[in-house]
Amino acid sequence: MTSAPSPAGQLAALLPDLSPLRSSADFRLLWIQGLVTYFGSFMALIALPLQIKELTGSPLAVGAMGAVELVPLVVFGLYGGALADSADRRKVILGTEAGLGLLALVLLVNAALPDPMLWPLYLVAGGVSALSGLQRPALDSLMARIVPHEQQTAAATLNSLRWQFGAITGPAVAGLVVAYAGHATAYTVTVVTFAVSVLLCLRLAPAPPAQDNGKPSLRGIAEGARYAWSRPVLLGTYAVDLAAMFFAFPNTIFPFLADELDADWSLGLMYAAGSVGSLVLGLTSGWTSRVRRHGLFVVFGAAAWGLAIAAAGWFTDVWLVLVCLAVAGAGDMLSGLGRSTIWNQTIPEELRGRLAGIEVLSYGVGPQLGQVRAGAMAGWTGTRSAIWGGGVACLASVALLTAALPKLLTYDSETDEDAVRRREAGEASPSGV
């Protein structure tokens, strides 16, 4: 007869699984690099829309950032996926990281002018979108190579925790820095963090393609798209995330929500609240490594996101709004863990780059379109209705997509054909219940 686990044992079972940091030197390097660069990136992410708001006073002008970023993200995201399958992924990551640092330098120079110009802000926003589209497939597809297959959920959790740290500290510090030291100081921090990031990326091991796929081509991109289209589970992960972000991503109009609630002091907290919720889930995520029904994560996480965003738009008490945004962040992280695990458990190595390019579109295009939707709807119907209406639409779309793609709900890493095929090819499947 076995004894019940002690309270200490129960607590330990909830803590994040750190095994990927112990088992992979390259994962440790990328984790630290991301920790540094995310902090700087979020400084710029907050300073940039605030600067556009100050220069124009228009929610539509702020939301237009999404339109500017959309086409580069689509084009370079797809190309970056093909590039990741045909080039050394280390070189792709290093080159794009250096380019992002140069764009941050442009923001710094413009902010230092006596009269900062508006057009460079949109130009840099488009350039960042293009370089991010090139980089993300290489980064994402590298995870399956440098982290053991059975540790993919743990790696996704650690990557999310790293991102959440930047998302919490970056906006909170950026709000103070911009208010008391100006935009130029915030952009200076961003430039420094990218310089450190490049130095860390130089220490990564080479990551040549698994096989000779030739040069990136439309035919190669189409091959990846056909594979994704033939897999209902993958389609479900892409579609649910795209719908959730399109309908319920109100971050771009947070400055106007803070004004409407007569709580300008809360702007940094609004940007950070979602990450606080994600962080809480991540710090108690040990149980996720023992689950194999990751499609449930995707669906329930996206539904929780939509419901919480709807509530955030409905309430008028700023503290209730912040709580709702934190709950939304936890739901988004749960959905993200499910997506990342399914992708890395089921996609063949020779297609990982191109499928990662499609993944960039699913979680990148949605927020960009969501910014445009939120900004336009806020200008027409008001800020709060743009938020709660988007949350309701998110809930409805998740329900419809789940009904249309039922295999997403029934996904099981022990029985799914693609997951089994990866395991039979020599990749261990995660244990769980």
Side-chain angles (χ1 to χ4, degrees), residues 149 227 231 233-234 339-349 352 411-413 416-422 427:
H149 193 67
Y227 180 87
R231 298 302 192 273
V233 173
L234 290 180
R339 293 193 307 272
S340 295
T341 304
I342 290 172
W343 294 340
N344 287 329
Q345 283 180 345
T346 63
I347 297 172
E349 171 63 25
R352 287 191 193 277
Y411 173 84
D412 187 321
S413 62
D416 179 81
E417 292 181 3
D418 291 313
V420 170
R421 191 174 297 116
R422 300 288 79 72
E427 299 176 11

Side-chain angles (χ1 to χ4, degrees), residues 277-288:
S278 296
L279 182 64
V280 171
L281 181 66
L283 292 175
T284 57
S285 63
W287 60 275
T288 62

Side-chain angles (χ1 to χ4, degrees), residues 118-134:
L118 180 63
W119 66 265
L121 305 183
Y122 290 113
L123 180 66
V124 169
V128 168
S129 183
L131 288 174
S132 297
L134 282 176

